[in-house]
């Protein structure tokens, strides 16, 4: 399965493609990078990020809309800087993310704070810097947030994350909009929660939000969620609580392996038509895309260490592992894996079928299964669609330093994160 035919192009991005025998990210030849920077190495295309963002911006042309990049998808400072400079706001889920995004130059007024478990310290930090909105996920959190705001002599701007109870038709671990998961306030409890929020002196209701899941490749769940949320807006406003902004969350999928999500502008043309039809077209709209802005803007380069043929399986052992690329182990996720140097005419049928695995001591440490590859030890492979939920989920398991990262801009390759050394991984520890 998946013999590579360079002429067919790669999924998702025009900015990552073969030119002759060489896999390029924009004007940079990937086979040139390991010599200077080593492997595993993440390489991102700035143009790919900006063109993914541009699809949303086209979709919202002429509208009052704020795009808040869900930074947990990839929170590296220089990546945040790209989006901050392009005018994005940010969706954060921890005090750490808030500190990080401010360090990257974000405007705090365009930052929103989501998540079911905000601590008092995080609330205080966010109030002090003046974030735009707290996306509150429970009634208990409303009480605590009001109390913290009052203790600072402030009012916290709040939106309630409601659970529209629609099936995003995605992996259960990344589906968040159904009853029975920990996120959001149930549709039928939403009005009561809004009345509760409106009574609290430390809160100012500014919006409503939802987020139904991730890697969504169909339009219907979004249309259904929008209907459900607008029903609530009507109900809440009828009770005398104005809703200034409506935030439809993130979740749009990318093409990992022949997936066919709608383009962001096509999706939004349909959603905005519904919004107009229901009379809410003039509202301030917010969205929180993560994966769809960065997922197909990055690859992870890895060196083939050993080929280990076997009776049942051939293994291709590479120097990247589940600590660098956690998605296969966590979600049985699929990433395309291709050589950075592909000799002409050698693409199809040649080589052998391998499981591509890392050095970590877990059977769950695999990157790709049953892949047709023509490889030898020392070759460099590129794991595609590695821009989202890879580096930001990376760990030091097995005392492996985290990978270095490169941001490509035209023919320039900027090192944006140094490789972590073994010493870095235990620098905060102490012997007794
Ligand atoms: C993770 C998350 C997002 C982004 O999801 P993507 O699938 O990466 O677009 C948006 N909003 C919230 C609340 C999230 O938790």
């Amino acid at each position: 399965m998946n013999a590579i035919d360079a002429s067919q192009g790669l999924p998702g991005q025009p900015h990552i493609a073969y030119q002759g025998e060489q896999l390029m990210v924009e004007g940079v030849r990937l086979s040139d990078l390991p010599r200077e920077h080593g492997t595993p190495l993440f390489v991102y295309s700035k143009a790919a990020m900006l063109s993914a963002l541009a699809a949303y911006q086209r979709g919202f042309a002429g509208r009052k809309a704020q795009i808040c990049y869900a930074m947990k998808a990839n929170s590296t400072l220089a990546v945040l800087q790209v989006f901050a400079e392009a005018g994005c706001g940010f969706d954060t889920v921890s005090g750490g993310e808030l500190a990080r995004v401010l360090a990257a130059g974000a405007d705090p007024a365009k930052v929103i704070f989501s998540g079911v478990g905000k601590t008092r310290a995080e609330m205080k930090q966010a109030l002090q810097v003046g974030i735009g909105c707290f996306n509150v996920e429970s009634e208990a959190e409303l009480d605590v947030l009001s109390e913290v705001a009052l203790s600072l002599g402030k009012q916290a701007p709040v939106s309630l994350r409601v659970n529209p109870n629609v099936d995003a038709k995605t992996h259960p671990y990344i589906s968040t909009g159904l009853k029975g998961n920990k996120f959001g306030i149930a549709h039928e409890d939403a009005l009561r929660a809004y009345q509760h929020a409106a009574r609290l002196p430390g809160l100012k209701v500014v919006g409503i939000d939802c987020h139904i899941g991730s890697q969504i490749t169909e339009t219907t769940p979004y249309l259904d969620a929008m209907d459900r949320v607008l029903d609530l807006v009507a109900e809440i406003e009828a009770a005398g609580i104005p809703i200034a902004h409506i935030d439809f969350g993130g979740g749009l999928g990318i093409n990992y392996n022949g997936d066919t999500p709608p383009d962001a502008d096509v999706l939004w043309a349909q959603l905005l038509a519904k919004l107009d039809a229901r009379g809410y077209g003039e509202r301030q709209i917010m969205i929180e895309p993560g994966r769809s802005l960065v997922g197909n803007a990055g690859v992870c380069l890895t060196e083939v260490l050993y080929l280990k043929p076997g009776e049942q399986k051939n293994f291709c052992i590479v120097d990247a592992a589940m600590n660098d690329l956690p998605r296969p182990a966590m979600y049985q996720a699929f990433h395309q894996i291709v050589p950075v140097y592909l000799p002409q005419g050698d693409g199809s049928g040649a080589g052998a079928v391998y499981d591509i695995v890392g050095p970590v001591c877990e059977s769950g440490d695999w990157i790709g299964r049953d892949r047709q590859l023509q490889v030898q030890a020392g070759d460099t492979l590129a794991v595609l669609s590695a821009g989202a939920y890879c580096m930001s989920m990376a760990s030091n398991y097995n005392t492996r330093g985290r990978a270095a990262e490169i941001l490509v801009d035209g023919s320039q390759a900027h090192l944006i994160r140094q490789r972590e050394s073994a010493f870095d991984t235990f620098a905060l520890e102490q012997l007794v």
Side-chain angles (χ1 to χ4, degrees):
M1 158 182 177
N2 285 300
I4 299 118
D5 178 356
S7 65
Q8 302 249 306
L10 300 173
Q13 288 296 340
H15 304 282
I16 302 172
Y18 284 101
Q19 267 175 32
E21 303 179 321
Q22 296 285 344
L23 186 59
M24 312 284 289
V25 168
E26 301 186 32
V28 170
R29 206 192 256 201
L30 289 176
S31 62
D32 289 344
L33 296 175
R35 226 170 302 125
E36 187 176 346
H37 299 288
T39 50
L41 181 69
F42 284 92
V43 185
Y44 308 121
S45 159
K46 181 178 175 182
M49 292 179 194
L50 291 177
S51 71
L53 176 63
Y56 283 101
Q57 289 168 328
R58 274 196 304 278
F60 289 125
R63 302 278 178 162
K64 280 190 284 180
Q66 174 68 58
I67 299 167
C68 290
Y69 166 51
M71 64 177 279
K72 72 177 192 285
N74 186 322
S75 54
T76 301
L77 287 184
V79 171
L80 301 176
Q81 181 188 14
V82 167
F83 289 112
E85 287 174 356
C88 279
F90 296 89
D91 180 28
T92 62
V93 292
S94 72
E97 283 196 348
L98 177 55
R100 187 176 260 287
V101 80
L102 295 179
D107 174 358
K110 292 186 188 168
V111 172
I112 59 180
F113 193 166
S114 300
V116 296
K118 303 175 195 77
T119 66
R120 284 166 197 265
E122 287 173 324
M123 291 172 178
K124 194 171 165 195
Q125 174 194 359
L127 285 161
Q128 280 167 337
V129 302
I131 66 161
C133 186
F134 290 84
N135 288 353
V136 172
E137 304 221 14
S138 66
E139 290 197 59
E141 185 189 337
L142 288 173
D143 293 319
V144 174
L145 181 58
S146 175
E147 209 181 288
V148 174
L150 287 177
S151 76
L152 296 172
K154 292 183 187 287
Q155 256 196 335
V158 297
S159 159
L160 268 61
R161 175 169 175 181
V162 298
N163 191 334
N165 197 29
V166 299
D167 186 353
K169 302 201 177 74
T170 183
H171 190 284
Y173 280 14
I174 51 178
S175 177
T176 56
L178 276 172
K179 277 186 186 181
N181 71 52
K182 70 178 179 181
F183 298 102
I185 292 167
H187 191 90
E188 53 274 24
D189 299 334
L191 178 60
R192 190 188 68 215
Y194 267 95
Q195 287 168 328
H196 180 170
R199 279 195 305 271
L200 290 170
L203 304 184
K204 179 175 167 41
V205 172
V206 297
I208 190 166
D209 65 284
C210 72
H211 172 69
I212 57 174
S214 201
Q215 186 52 20
I216 300 168
T217 54
E218 296 173 38
T219 305
T220 316
Y222 280 106
L223 289 165
D224 292 348
M226 177 174 273
D227 265 327
R228 304 273 294 165
V229 170
L230 295 180
D231 291 347
L232 279 177
V233 173
E235 216 182 301
I236 295 159
E237 294 195 326
I241 303 167
I243 302 291
H245 78 244
I246 310 176
D247 175 348
F248 294 102
L252 181 58
I254 61 170
N255 180 1
Y256 284 106
N257 183 28
D259 308 290
T260 52
D263 292 334
D265 49 348
V266 173
L267 171 69
W268 275 96
Q270 291 189 54
L271 287 169
L272 290 169
K274 179 182 281 292
L275 204 65
D276 288 341
R278 293 201 49 177
Y280 292 95
E282 298 294 303
R283 287 304 160 101
Q284 167 80 28
I285 307 158
M286 312 233 288
I287 53 162
E288 307 164 352
R291 186 191 314 271
S292 54
L293 292 181
V294 290
N296 269 338
V299 304
C300 181
L301 302 186
T302 184
E303 184 185 325
V304 176
L305 299 174
Y306 302 103
L307 296 179
K308 186 172 171 180
E311 230 168 80
Q312 295 189 356
K313 285 264 182 193
N314 299 313
F315 291 102
C316 170
I317 302 169
V318 298
D319 66 356
M322 65 188 287
N323 72 300
D324 307 295
L325 295 161
R327 298 185 63 260
M330 272 183 85
Y331 319 113
Q332 290 84 48
F334 183 97
H335 288 273
Q336 291 262 12
I337 302 169
V338 301
V340 298
Y341 174 69
L342 184 64
Q344 297 281 325
D346 277 5
S348 54
V353 174
Y354 294 97
D355 272 14
I356 295 153
V357 300
V360 161
C361 301
E362 298 278 348
S363 293
D365 180 27
W366 58 278
I367 314 270
R369 290 204 159 126
D370 299 326
R371 306 299 177 87
Q372 177 89 40
L373 280 176
Q374 190 179 34
V375 276
Q376 49 192 19
D379 286 358
T380 304
L381 298 176
V383 180
L384 305 186
S385 309
Y389 301 108
C390 291
M391 191 58 178
S392 60
M393 285 183 151
S395 78
N396 293 126
Y397 188 39
N398 281 208
T399 304
R400 291 167 51 86
R402 284 177 300 167
E405 293 179 292
I406 300 281
L407 181 69
V408 170
D409 184 4
S411 58
Q412 299 268 81
H414 301 279
L415 180 66
I416 57 171
R417 183 199 297 260
Q418 291 178 30
R419 182 172 305 286
E420 238 172 3
S421 69
F423 179 79
D424 292 330
T425 70
F426 54 77
L428 298 179
E429 298 173 38
Q430 272 165 314
L431 296 171
V432 291

